[in-house]
Amino acid sequence: LEVARFLMPVLTAATAIKALTALFRNQMQLARLWRIRGHVVICGLSKKGIRLVRGFRARNEPVVVIERDEGNDYIEQCRSEGAIVLLGDATDAHLLLKAAVHRARLLISVTELDGVNAEIALNARRIAARHRKDPLTCVIHIVDPQLCTLLREREISVEQDTPFRL
């Protein structure tokens, strides 16, 4: 009983510190996003996504990850690698702006769905047209050959002075 009486305040303090750390970690990530430039934005945290994060972080490049699934097992690995993780739908233009796509060097979309990857690229194109002078390079994973052909044709037919490369 004596041991429990002394351990209870320690346990309470440890829980409070853990909660504050989690709260401030999110705030620190948002603060880092205000000044980040020339970074890589990765949409979709699958096996491909985590490999990309590790590769870019190994080269000491800043990385922002957008993942829809809050329960994704790779989120903590990304954070431990030093990547900024934003939770939400990467097709949302506001979330892409929050990830500072307009100041990014590269956007890579490797979600499970071709349509989602294409929509992310189209939203990034709109953002780049409004907010950028130098080109944003966008790499998307497309499995469907017809969609890939359609996107290539559209990319060729669009005006070339848009600061966006697909």
Side-chain angles (χ1 to χ4, degrees):
L1 192 57
E2 289 295 318
V3 172
R5 188 168 75 175
F6 288 110
L7 285 180
M8 191 55 131
V10 172
L11 181 62
T12 303
T15 303
I17 290 170
K18 188 173 183 179
L20 287 172
T21 302
L23 177 68
F24 285 118
R25 176 177 33 178
N26 290 337
Q27 296 303 319
M28 291 297 290
Q29 283 188 353
L30 292 177
R32 284 175 54 198
L33 283 172
W34 278 97
R35 57 190 159 110
I36 196 168
R37 293 191 175 291
H39 59 289
V40 177
V41 178
I42 299 173
C43 303
L45 201 49
S46 59
K47 288 181 182 179
K48 290 179 202 121
I50 191 67
R51 285 185 188 140
L52 289 166
V53 170
R54 287 179 183 146
F56 285 112
R57 289 302 300 148
R59 293 182 1 209
N60 225 10
E61 295 193 45
V63 175
V64 176
V65 175
I66 301 176
E67 172 56 37
R68 178 182 292 214
D69 180 15
E70 293 179 23
N72 189 311
D73 296 334
Y74 296 124
I75 290 174
E76 282 307 313
Q77 290 179 28
C78 284
R79 287 183 175 146
S80 68
E81 293 276 343
I84 298 171
V85 179
L86 298 176
L87 297 173
D89 185 4
T91 61
D92 180 13
H94 294 293
L95 188 58
L96 289 173
L97 280 170
K98 190 175 181 181
V101 165
H102 54 290
R103 293 189 308 263
R105 161 179 87 74
L106 177 63
L107 171 82
I108 302 173
S109 184
V110 288
T111 68
E112 303 283 323
L113 302 172
D114 288 354
V116 171
N117 292 333
E119 188 174 350
I120 290 168
L122 292 176
N123 285 335
R125 173 190 281 284
R126 287 186 202 109
I127 291 169
R130 283 181 283 172
H131 298 281
R132 294 182 67 99
K133 291 179 179 61
D134 55 324
L136 169 68
T137 301
C138 181
V139 178
I140 59 174
H141 181 256
I142 300 291
V143 175
D144 182 10
Q146 290 176 333
L147 179 58
C148 187
T149 303
L150 179 68
L151 288 170
R152 281 189 185 151
E153 288 172 359
R154 179 157 191 225
E155 184 65 21
I156 291 169
S157 69
V158 172
E159 55 198 62
Q160 296 302 320
D161 51 330
T162 303
F164 183 85
R165 290 184 294 214
L166 181 63

